[in-house]
Amino acid sequence: MDSRRNFLKKASLLAGAAVVSGNAGSISKFAVNRMNTEKLKLSFRPYTLELKHVFTLANSSRTTTPVMLTEIQYGDLVGYGEASMPPYLGESHETASTFLAKVDLSQFNDPFKLEEIIDYIDTIDAGNYAAKASVDIALHDLVGKLIGQPWYKIWGYDSEKTPFTSFTIGIDTPDVVKTKVKEAAEYKILKVKLGRDTDKEMIETIRSVTDVPICVDVNQGWKDKHFALDMIHWLKEKGIVFIEQPMDKTKLDDNAWLTQNSPLPTIGDEAVQGLKDVIKAHGIYSGINIKLMKCGGMRNANKMIALADSLGLKVMVGCMTETSCAISAAAHLTPKALWADLDGALLISNDLYNGTKIVDGKVSISRLPGIGIEKI
Ligand code: MG
């Protein structure tokens, strides 16, 4: 209780520092006073997340995830960021260190020029999306703290409209799966990774202990569109909500055919990295899975949501295994998402931050300024 009280007290103090007696004018004075006198200073350090359970995908297993923790200092305020780098995406402690060492934020003395700074980060090198996201998140955290408001408010989103998050049940023996499902009783939607020979057995095992809705992520694992469609019809009868990345992302015609014929929505994940891919996903999938680590951060993710909305694509906000830093950052987007898959911090045993929580299965966005976290 004490740490919760301190957490809230700090929140009100921070907010109060910027919003004096609710006088909006004092916000800009507070910010303007700092301009041209302070410079932005980036620092970063590697960290390794310990997973509570072995994490098994269609083609690999692991027990840790490398992340990079970033901080942007501006006067006496610090913005926090994070890059999560599961090996299959090609980034690592080494690549992120190399990239971040090239980032010179000392040329900027106004963090409110978010667009200009993030555009600069983008021009430093191609790829490196997680490393870029770590700077973007820290910058958003800093700007939110300067304004004294959390990002869902700055964007004008309603924190009451957050979806339930799915909770991933890793592939395992039937007895272990049943235990995991019982432990996950708090969550209103489960997520299961399919794309192996044991797909039906996995679903039957879960259905033997619960009837909550299930999302399915195939991670491109199904090789034939007719087999995929048969599976989807079978899965619909089992109470599945949607199918994520059913087939190889390069098979555009097959994925489009599947979406047209599927009785369940299909979601593009591996096929959708950034803004340009949202347009490409139109007509191929029913929706897209937006992740900060794929698209380079909060600025790009928010633009992707607007574009997806305009194209009639359903939006899901997902994550990697991450601390509550990157999870809290992504949470600000969830009022605009039909589905959330933000269980990343729940799957690790060495989180470093308090922030957005999952309460009764629902995303409960932290009301602290910025991305809404404090160090544990
Ligand atoms: Mg996925």
Side-chain angles (χ1 to χ4, degrees), residues 69-226:
L69 304 170
T70 53
E71 293 188 7
I72 298 178
Q73 178 106 27
Y74 185 65
D76 54 359
L77 285 180
V78 177
Y80 298 113
E82 176 183 9
S84 174
M85 301 171 290
Y88 61 90
L89 291 179
E91 287 180 76
S92 63
H93 282 152
E94 290 71 30
T95 63
S97 296
T98 303
F99 179 83
L100 293 170
K102 294 179 192 168
V103 177
D104 176 17
L105 293 187
S106 68
Q107 62 188 295
F108 299 104
N109 57 12
D110 181 1
F112 286 90
K113 290 185 177 168
L114 268 170
E115 289 284 327
E116 187 181 326
I117 300 170
I118 294 167
D119 284 348
Y120 154 72
I121 302 292
D122 241 354
T123 63
I124 293 174
D125 225 334
N128 294 283
Y129 291 103
K132 288 172 181 174
S134 74
V135 182
D136 167 287
I137 294 168
L139 195 55
H140 278 79
D141 192 34
L142 177 66
V143 167
K145 284 171 174 168
L146 280 164
I147 299 172
Q149 297 292 340
W151 269 92
Y152 73 84
K153 280 199 173 186
I154 297 168
W155 279 329
Y157 298 157
D158 182 350
S159 64
E160 298 300 312
K161 290 187 176 167
T162 57
F164 291 111
T165 183
S166 52
F167 183 82
T168 300
I169 302 295
I171 296 166
D172 218 314
T173 61
D175 283 346
V176 176
V177 167
K178 284 180 193 171
T179 306
K180 285 181 181 174
V181 171
K182 284 173 185 164
E183 285 171 3
E186 181 193 345
Y187 303 99
K188 313 297 183 214
I189 304 179
L190 299 179
K191 179 169 175 176
V192 182
K193 300 279 191 181
L194 296 186
R196 295 153 72 100
D197 297 340
T198 52
D199 283 0
K200 287 188 176 177
E201 184 187 356
M202 180 75 183
I203 296 295
E204 298 278 21
T205 301
I206 295 174
R207 276 290 168 258
S208 73
V209 284
T210 183
D211 57 2
V212 300
I214 301 172
C215 311
V216 158
D217 189 354
V218 187
N219 291 113
Q220 313 183 79
W222 290 337
K223 305 301 176 202
D224 175 80
K225 66 181 182 182
H226 297 287

Side-chain angles (χ1 to χ4, degrees), residues 310-370:
S310 72
L311 292 169
L313 283 163
K314 300 177 197 308
V315 168
M316 166 183 182
V317 173
C319 66
M320 309 297 174
T321 39
E322 297 164 357
T323 71
S324 288
C325 175
I327 294 294
S328 299
H332 294 278
L333 299 155
T334 60
K336 296 291 287 176
L338 197 52
W339 301 296
D341 180 29
L342 292 183
D343 62 353
L346 305 169
L347 304 176
I348 63 170
S349 58
N350 59 342
D351 200 352
L352 295 168
Y353 307 94
N354 278 318
T356 282
K357 303 271 184 226
I358 307 304
V359 179
D360 293 332
K362 194 169 184 280
V363 178
S364 176
I365 307 176
S366 165
R367 285 165 167 67
L368 282 175

Side-chain angles (χ1 to χ4, degrees), residues 14 16-20 23-40 74-77 109-113 142-148:
L14 267 174
V19 188
V20 180
N23 177 352
S26 64
I27 297 174
S28 53
K29 266 187 214 161
F30 181 79
V32 167
N33 283 343
R34 287 163 177 270
M35 282 176 200
N36 304 319
T37 59
E38 307 282 359
K39 290 185 187 305
L40 297 174
Y74 185 65
D76 54 359
L77 285 180
N109 57 12
D110 181 1
F112 286 90
K113 290 185 177 168
L142 177 66
V143 167
K145 284 171 174 168
L146 280 164
I147 299 172

